[in-house]
Amino acid sequence: MESFPQPETTYCFHVSYGETDAMRVAYYGEFFHWFERARSQFIRERGMSYSEVEARGLMLPVRNATCRYLRPARYDEPVGVRCGIKDWGRASITFVYEVYGPPDASTLLARGETEHACVTPEGKPVRVPDWLKAMFGT
């Protein structure tokens, strides 16, 4: 495994039947849902939920999302999604993800990123707040 940004979290689950296609392979769009769940866990582990971030007046809409698929994830396989922060912009945050599968969460299945703008509830861009950086340990 290559170097991964710290701090990090790993969201673990089994691929559900509803996340797969007729060949029991995880549908490509599900990876972005998995990224979101890992990102939510990353925030929650640092003492706040996404809804609490929004209650403080900060929205984090996705500006860009990418995923490079390397191997399939299949029905009922255990999967782990690593999540960390790759970059801080003036008014943005880029999260990075690695998806691992069997055996023993050692096979890299995909890599991805999501870039999030920092905006007010009205959609006006704002600087990344100091409290958010402090919460994420940077």
Side-chain angles (χ1 to χ4, degrees):
M1 290 184 214
E2 295 177 20
S3 155
F4 198 82
Q6 298 297 313
E8 69 171 271
T9 193
T10 301
Y11 169 68
C12 298
F13 61 99
H14 283 76
V15 178
S16 74
Y17 190 79
E19 294 171 309
T20 64
D21 61 18
M23 296 187 311
R24 301 177 125 198
V25 171
Y27 176 68
Y28 74 91
E30 293 297 334
F31 284 71
F32 292 101
H33 290 146
W34 301 344
F35 293 173
E36 179 184 355
R37 291 179 193 134
R39 189 170 62 249
S40 292
Q41 179 174 304
F42 180 88
I43 293 169
R44 192 172 292 109
E45 286 177 354
R46 275 136 199 91
M48 197 173 287
S49 70
Y50 243 128
S51 58
E52 289 173 287
V53 170
E54 291 177 345
R56 287 188 174 205
L58 183 67
M59 310 302 276
L60 298 171
V62 175
R63 287 194 336 194
N64 189 37
T66 62
C67 186
R68 172 75 172 118
Y69 305 94
L70 304 169
R71 291 183 172 79
R74 299 184 186 282
Y75 170 63
D76 207 30
E77 288 183 341
V79 171
V81 181
R82 290 173 83 189
C83 174
I85 295 175
K86 177 182 172 185
D87 290 314
W88 292 93
R90 254 179 48 124
S92 66
I93 306 167
T94 302
F95 288 88
V96 63
Y97 312 90
E98 291 180 342
V99 181
Y100 287 90
D104 306 318
S106 62
T107 303
L108 183 62
L109 305 178
R111 284 192 174 104
E113 292 185 10
T114 55
E115 180 186 6
H116 300 258
C118 293
V119 301
T120 66
E122 298 75 36
K124 181 182 178 223
V126 294
R127 280 184 171 268
V128 176
D130 290 339
W131 60 263
L132 188 67
K133 285 186 176 184
M135 183 178 81
F136 290 156
T138 60

